[in-house]
Amino acid sequence: MYAAAQNHHHQMNRYWEEELETMSRPALEKLQLERLKTTFAYAARSPYYKQLFGKLNLTVDSFGHIDDIRKIPFTTKEDLRANYPYGLVALPLQESVRLHSSSGTTGNPTVIFHSQHDLDSWSNLVARCLYSVGVRDTDVFQNTSGYGMFTGGLGFQYGAERLGCLTIPAAAGNSRRQIKFMQDFGTTTVHAIPSYAIRLADVFEEMGLDPHRDTRLKTLVIGAEPHTEEQRRRIEELLGVRAFNSFGMSEMSGPGVAFECEYQTGLHLWEDAFYLEIIHPDTLEPLPDGEIGELVLTSLDRRAMPILRYRTRDLTRILPGDCPCRRVHRRIDRVKGRTDDMFIIKGCNIFPMQIEKILLQTPEVGNNYMITLDTVDHSDEMLIEVELKDLFTDDYGRLENLAKSLRHRIRDEVLVAPRIKLAESGSLPQSEGKAVRVRDLRNNK
Amino acid sequence: MTTIRQLSIFLENKSGRLQEVLEALGNEKINITALTIADTSEYGILRLIVSDPENGYKLLKNRGFSVNLTDVLSLSVSHEAGSLAKVLKKFSEEKLSVEYMYAFSLGEKAVIVLRTDNRPKAFEIIERNNFTLISEDEIKNL
Ligand SMILES: [Zn+2]
C-alpha cells in the first residue's frame, strides 16, 4: 500500500514517497478532495458530526471542489471537550486500537482514538519527516520524549521503527543515562524538546565530554515547545548537529503534521494527510499566504476519529514560494504563539513572539519582558518593560539611545511604537514557562 | 596618569533597592567613600566610590544588580573656598566635555570625581595646571 515499503530496502532516494511528495498541485488537490469525501463519510458516522451534517443538509455530494470544505463549520477544542469521550468516534469501538489523551487543566481532557489504519498512516508520516532530513535505516534514533499519553513518545517510536532505525525508547529525564546510551549505542539522531537539548549540552560538559568528539550525533529533531531561530542555532553549535523543527498536536495524531526539510526554511505541512487553512482569528475569514493567523487543520487520512476544520489556536503563516526540495506541500512558519496570546492595539494584531524576536537580537537586554496596554489621554498606549542585562554604560545618553533603538525596531515590526521602560535584571517574570507577558489595563478592551 | 574605578548601579525607582546595595556592601566590609544618585523619572544610576571596587562589583553582580565598573578621574583640591571653582573654570575654558561630575570632602581635602570621554585632553589640562590626580590607593588612605 505504501510506496515506503519499497524504499525500505534501498534508501537511496531523496524522498520517502516521491509521488506523494512531489506531485503537481492540481493532482494534490484532487487527492485532497477524494480524501475529504472519505473522511466526511467516516465522520458522518460519529454522533457529533452526524447531527451537525444533518442540520446543515451536508452529504458527500456537497463537495465538488476542495474549497467546498468551507461548508463545514469549524471544530473547536471546546467541541472536543463537550463531546468527551465518544462523541466524535466514527468507528465501532472494537476497531480502535489505541487512545491518546492530552491533560486538560480544567474540565474534560481531549481524547483521540486511533484505528490500526490511523496508526499506520501516522507512523508513515513521521517516517517521512525523518527521512526528509536524511535519517536512514542505518541510523540510531534515541527518543528523549515522555512516553505514556504524550504523543511525542510513541509517535516518534513507531515512526522511527517504520523507517527502520534502531530506536531507543530512552524516554524523558536522567541525562547522564541518556548520554551513556548515546555513547554505547552510537546514537546519530535524537528527538528532544529544545530546552532539554540545551540541558544535555550542559550535562556533557559536566561529564567532561564533548558531543562533537565523543558521540556520533548528527541530527536533532526539536519541537513541542516554542523556540526561536537563535535557540536552534545554539543547539546546533553546542551539540554539533543539524536541528530540525517538528510540528504536531495530539488532535492531529501527534508529531508528523509538519516538518522542516534539509533546507530549514519553514515546515512542510503534509497536505495529503491534512487540509491546511490560515484564518483571521476574529473574522474567521481565510488569510492570504504570508499573513499570520490561526492554523486550521482537517485530518484527511483518519478513520476512528476524523476531525474537520479544527481551530488549533496556533498562530503561524503560510510561507509563500517554493522550496528548493521540490516538495509540493506548502511550508508553514514556526508557530508564532497562541491565539490566546494575541492582542490588538490601534488596529494592529500583535503577537508577543514578534517583540521577543527583537529583544533576542539586542545583546544589551535580557529575554524577559512585560507588555502593558493602557489608556493614556483617551488613546491606547503600549508600554514594554525590558531588563537591562548588564549596565554596559553609566551614561544616560546611551541608555536613552538603547530605548530609542528598541522603540524604532519594534515599531517597524509590529507597526505600533511602544514606550520602552528599562528595568533591573531579574525584576520581570522569567521567560520560561507560561509567564503572563501581556497586561491589558485599557478602558475598552 | 591614573584613573579610579567607580561602581555604577542601575536602579529602578522603587523603594528598598538602594538599601539593599548598601547592606550588601556593608556585610562584606566594603566601605563607601562617596555616593551619588542621578535619576530620571523612571530609573536612576547610583555611583559609588568604595574601598574595594572589584569585589564590590562581583558581589553586586552576583546579587543580580545591573552594575558597571567605570573609570573616572579623581582630583584633589584644597578644602577652601574657591578652589573647586578654579578647577571647573579651567575645564570649561578648555571646553572639555564632562559627562558628569560630583565632589565630596575628605578631611583637609576636597575631592572631585569626573567622567569624560576625552581623557587625553583631561590629562593634558590637569598636567598644564598642576592639578593633583589621586589614585585608588590614595583615596583609601585619605
Ligand atoms: Zn523543502
Side-chain angles (χ1 to χ4, degrees):
Chain A
M1 179 168 183
Y2 294 99
Q6 291 127 44
N7 274 328
H8 219 61
H9 301 289
H10 47 94
Q11 299 193 338
M12 303 295 286
N13 197 322
R14 177 173 182 179
Y15 306 99
W16 177 247
E17 292 158 295
E18 182 158 6
E19 201 195 320
L20 282 172
E21 292 176 53
T22 62
M23 61 173 59
S24 68
R25 181 138 287 272
L28 176 66
E29 287 181 359
K30 192 166 159 270
L31 177 68
Q32 286 183 318
L33 179 60
E34 269 167 37
R35 288 189 167 183
L36 173 66
K37 286 180 161 186
T38 311
T39 301
F40 179 91
Y42 278 107
R45 301 182 200 174
S46 74
Y48 173 73
Y49 281 120
K50 183 179 181 182
Q51 181 262 347
L52 184 71
F53 296 160
K55 206 171 66 186
L56 299 169
N57 286 320
L58 288 176
T59 66
V60 170
D61 297 329
S62 310
F63 304 95
H65 186 273
I66 188 63
D67 286 345
D68 291 331
I69 196 171
R70 289 191 208 138
K71 294 175 179 170
I72 304 171
F74 295 109
T75 303
T76 62
K77 184 122 185 151
E78 288 70 40
D79 295 329
L80 299 187
R81 289 217 176 105
N83 292 281
Y84 173 88
Y86 301 122
L88 276 76
V89 176
L91 291 179
L93 212 53
Q94 76 196 50
E95 294 200 38
S96 283
V97 295
R98 196 198 296 167
L99 66 80
H100 278 280
S101 160
S102 69
S103 58
T105 40
T106 53
N108 290 328
T110 46
V111 179
I112 307 296
F113 292 82
H114 298 273
S115 69
Q116 190 56 51
H117 169 89
D118 301 338
L119 292 185
D120 289 343
S121 166
W122 177 19
S123 307
N124 181 64
L125 289 175
V126 174
R128 189 197 284 175
C129 293
L130 295 171
Y131 194 90
S132 76
V133 296
V135 180
R136 294 292 181 269
D137 57 6
T138 45
D139 279 294
V140 179
F141 182 92
Q142 184 168 330
N143 191 3
T144 72
S145 196
Y147 276 65
M149 288 296 196
F150 180 58
T151 54
L154 289 177
F156 272 106
Q157 181 73 31
Y158 278 63
E161 287 176 5
R162 175 75 177 231
L163 175 54
C165 296
L166 171 60
T167 309
I168 310 173
N174 200 339
S175 306
R176 285 173 179 259
R177 195 183 63 154
Q178 298 278 4
I179 289 171
K180 185 168 164 48
F181 284 159
M182 288 175 199
Q183 292 197 293
D184 293 353
F185 304 123
T187 302
T188 60
T189 309
V190 169
H191 169 235
I193 57 172
S195 58
Y196 190 61
I198 288 174
R199 164 86 190 122
L200 276 177
D202 287 340
V203 179
F204 269 110
E205 202 181 320
E206 281 167 34
M207 293 171 76
L209 295 172
D210 175 3
H212 298 70
R213 194 192 55 213
D214 301 318
T215 71
R216 291 177 58 209
L217 291 180
K218 60 178 189 196
T219 306
L220 228 83
V221 175
I222 51 176
E225 195 181 67
H227 63 282
T228 58
E229 185 58 24
E230 287 80 358
Q231 280 167 303
R232 180 242 291 276
R233 295 296 168 213
R234 184 140 172 263
I235 290 167
E236 292 190 324
E237 261 168 52
L238 287 171
L239 294 175
V241 294
R242 291 192 79 204
F244 299 94
N245 222 328
S246 161
F247 175 79
M249 69 193 68
S250 64
E251 296 90 331
M252 292 293 134
S253 298
V257 175
F259 209 81
E260 275 179 330
C261 70
E262 59 190 298
Y263 293 100
Q264 295 180 324
T265 54
L267 297 88
H268 291 280
L269 193 138
W270 302 126
E271 294 184 77
D272 57 324
F274 303 98
Y275 186 75
L276 157 65
E277 296 170 87
I278 302 284
I279 61 163
H280 191 291
D282 295 325
T283 67
L284 308 183
E285 289 301 315
L287 288 173
D289 289 5
E291 279 192 33
I292 296 176
E294 182 175 354
L295 176 68
V296 172
L297 292 175
T298 298
S299 70
L300 292 177
D301 195 21
R302 233 168 46 180
R303 295 178 184 172
M305 188 168 165
I307 302 181
L308 303 170
R309 303 195 80 202
Y310 181 63
R311 292 187 60 183
T312 65
R313 298 200 248 185
D314 283 320
L315 294 166
T316 184
R317 60 190 181 124
I318 293 172
L319 295 170
D322 295 328
C323 184
C325 75
R326 288 184 40 242
R327 287 183 177 84
V328 64
H329 308 271
R330 284 175 297 173
R331 293 160 300 152
I332 56 167
D333 207 347
R334 69 180 65 216
V335 171
K336 298 285 179 195
R338 308 277 295 162
T339 49
D340 322 323
D341 304 332
M342 188 194 75
F343 58 90
I344 301 177
I345 185 165
K346 296 183 174 171
C348 297
N349 292 346
I350 298 177
F351 313 110
M353 281 288 280
Q354 293 173 284
I355 288 162
E356 204 168 325
K357 188 180 92 185
I358 306 276
L359 299 182
L360 278 162
Q361 293 162 352
T362 312
E364 295 89 349
V365 299
N367 299 346
N368 303 331
Y369 61 93
M370 176 64 87
I371 301 167
T372 306
L373 311 174
D374 205 351
T375 311
V376 180
D377 299 332
H378 309 293
S379 140
D380 285 353
E381 189 189 83
M382 170 165 60
L383 168 73
I384 303 178
E385 293 170 82
V386 295
E387 286 181 6
L388 213 48
K389 207 186 281 171
D390 272 306
L391 189 58
F392 61 97
T393 173
D394 76 337
D395 178 5
Y396 277 104
R398 279 189 230 165
L399 290 177
E400 294 302 321
N401 282 342
L402 170 65
K404 209 187 288 175
S405 133
L406 281 172
R407 175 182 165 85
H408 290 156
R409 284 157 54 218
I410 290 171
R411 184 200 55 202
D412 291 348
E413 172 76 25
V414 304
L415 307 177
V416 175
R419 195 160 70 83
I420 301 291
K421 185 177 171 195
L422 300 176
E424 288 177 37
S425 73
S427 64
L428 299 175
Q430 292 294 304
S431 64
E432 286 98 44
K434 291 181 177 160
V436 177
R437 305 234 154 270
V438 184
R439 271 185 309 203
D440 197 342
L441 310 174
R442 288 176 290 182
N443 301 336
N444 319 298
K445 291 173 200 172
Chain B
M1 290 286 157
T2 177
T3 57
I4 65 169
R5 289 171 298 173
Q6 166 197 271
L7 285 180
S8 306
I9 300 130
F10 179 87
L11 290 181
E12 283 172 64
N13 290 347
K14 53 188 184 190
S15 63
R17 294 296 279 165
L18 175 60
Q19 188 68 22
E20 278 179 54
V21 173
L22 300 183
E23 276 175 10
L25 294 171
N27 289 341
E28 294 299 313
K29 304 273 185 292
I30 295 173
N31 293 323
I32 297 168
T33 309
L35 176 158
T36 170
I37 297 181
D39 58 4
T40 68
S41 59
E42 283 176 349
Y43 59 86
I45 297 177
L46 169 67
R47 299 183 173 119
L48 298 173
I49 304 295
V50 298
S51 56
D52 187 347
E54 204 161 309
N55 277 323
Y57 173 78
K58 281 186 200 151
L59 176 77
L60 293 175
K61 198 166 167 55
N62 287 341
R63 292 280 184 101
F65 284 97
S66 303
V67 55
N68 176 280
L69 212 46
T70 315
D71 287 328
V72 291
L73 297 178
S74 173
L75 298 163
S76 84
V77 295
S78 58
H79 192 185
E80 58 191 43
S83 53
L84 184 59
K86 199 178 113 194
V87 174
L88 293 184
K89 187 159 171 266
K90 284 289 170 212
F91 283 140
S92 80
E93 276 172 11
E94 303 265 358
K95 296 198 164 50
L96 180 74
S97 67
V98 174
E99 276 172 26
Y100 56 82
M101 192 214 69
Y102 53 96
F104 57 97
S105 65
L106 259 181
E108 306 278 282
K109 299 281 184 191
V111 178
I112 303 171
V113 175
L114 68 89
R115 164 93 179 158
T116 172
D117 53 15
N118 191 350
R119 223 181 281 157
K121 187 169 179 184
F123 284 140
E124 190 203 305
I125 300 167
I126 289 164
E127 195 156 51
R128 202 149 14 90
N129 293 281
N130 282 321
F131 295 152
T132 316
L133 270 175
I134 46 180
S135 67
E136 270 179 30
D137 283 344
E138 286 169 310
I139 283 214
K140 264 182 237 172
N141 297 327
L142 271 173

